[in-house]
Amino acid sequence: MTGAGITLVLVRHAKSDWGDPHLDDHDRPLNDRGRRDAPRMARRLAETGFRPDALVSSTAVRARTTAEAFAEELGAAVTLDPELYGAPARALLAAAAATGVRSVLVVAHDPGMSVLAAQLSGDGIAHMPTCAVATFRWDDGDWDVATALDPAEWTLDTPR
């Protein structure tokens, strides 16, 4: 893949429910706030005109539910990747690159999401709260080039 650049959108899953202490972490659903925030943030992203070529998500219930809200607003299909559950920053970036497409939205968890956002923003983003959305662009080349260079060389794409 050569030519125009690539876009990576990071979405940390929406707020999850801690009400059942016996529920496995992977199976925790969204709480009321999470169920409100996910569609709202998805609409805000859709209003920017962004449409991903791929949308990949952790298999955890809270991430999958968040991804489904974004998929509905953005007209995209969700691809579930069990490797994104608890993945470190490098693995999140590798999963995006592995799609081979120009625009990717990734829904996953902290601390990996915050670490990757900090790296790609040159520490401009210290923390991704639940349901945070961060968009990054790499204008020159493809995923092979973008993943081989210092992540801080990406551009944080702020809405206009």
Side-chain angles (χ1 to χ4, degrees), residues 76-92:
V78 177
T79 300
L80 297 176
D81 184 344
E83 298 297 316
L84 296 183
Y85 178 66
R90 217 22 151 175
L92 296 171

Side-chain angles (χ1 to χ4, degrees), residues 5-58:
I6 55 179
T7 301
L8 172 63
V9 176
L10 301 178
V11 177
R12 183 169 171 212
H13 66 77
K15 192 76 172 162
S16 61
D17 188 343
W18 287 85
D20 183 350
H22 302 292
L23 198 59
D24 183 71
D25 180 70
H26 190 272
D27 297 330
R28 284 191 294 114
L30 297 181
N31 67 12
D32 290 341
R33 183 175 126 200
R35 286 190 301 274
R36 281 190 313 266
D37 287 352
R40 186 184 59 137
M41 293 303 288
R43 274 190 300 280
R44 289 181 68 186
L45 181 60
E47 288 168 0
T48 70
F50 175 76
R51 297 296 181 270
D53 296 323
L55 192 164
V56 294
S57 172
S58 159

Side-chain angles (χ1 to χ4, degrees), residues 2 6 19 26-27 29 52 62 64 70 79 83-84 88 94 98 103 120 140-141 159:
T2 59
I6 55 179
H26 190 272
D27 297 330
R62 61 193 181 276
R64 189 175 67 233
F70 278 80
T79 300
E83 298 297 316
L84 296 183
S103 62
L120 296 179
D140 300 316

Side-chain angles (χ1 to χ4, degrees), residues 45-159:
L45 181 60
E47 288 168 0
T48 70
F50 175 76
R51 297 296 181 270
D53 296 323
L55 192 164
V56 294
S57 172
S58 159
T59 56
V61 171
R62 61 193 181 276
R64 189 175 67 233
T65 306
T66 301
E68 289 165 354
F70 278 80
E72 185 174 328
E73 279 295 325
L74 300 173
V78 177
T79 300
L80 297 176
D81 184 344
E83 298 297 316
L84 296 183
Y85 178 66
R90 217 22 151 175
L92 296 171
L93 187 58
T99 65
V101 298
R102 297 212 174 277
S103 62
V104 181
L105 187 148
V106 176
V107 180
H109 313 267
D110 251 7
M113 292 300 273
S114 288
V115 170
L116 182 55
Q119 290 173 346
L120 296 179
S121 68
D123 290 325
I125 297 175
H127 175 68
M128 297 248 324
T130 54
C131 214
V133 177
T135 302
F136 299 92
R137 261 190 358 271
W138 176 256
D139 291 326
D140 300 316
D142 58 20
W143 284 108
D144 290 337
V145 174
T147 56
L149 298 175
D150 183 348
E153 294 185 35
W154 285 65
T155 302
L156 177 61
D157 195 9
T158 55

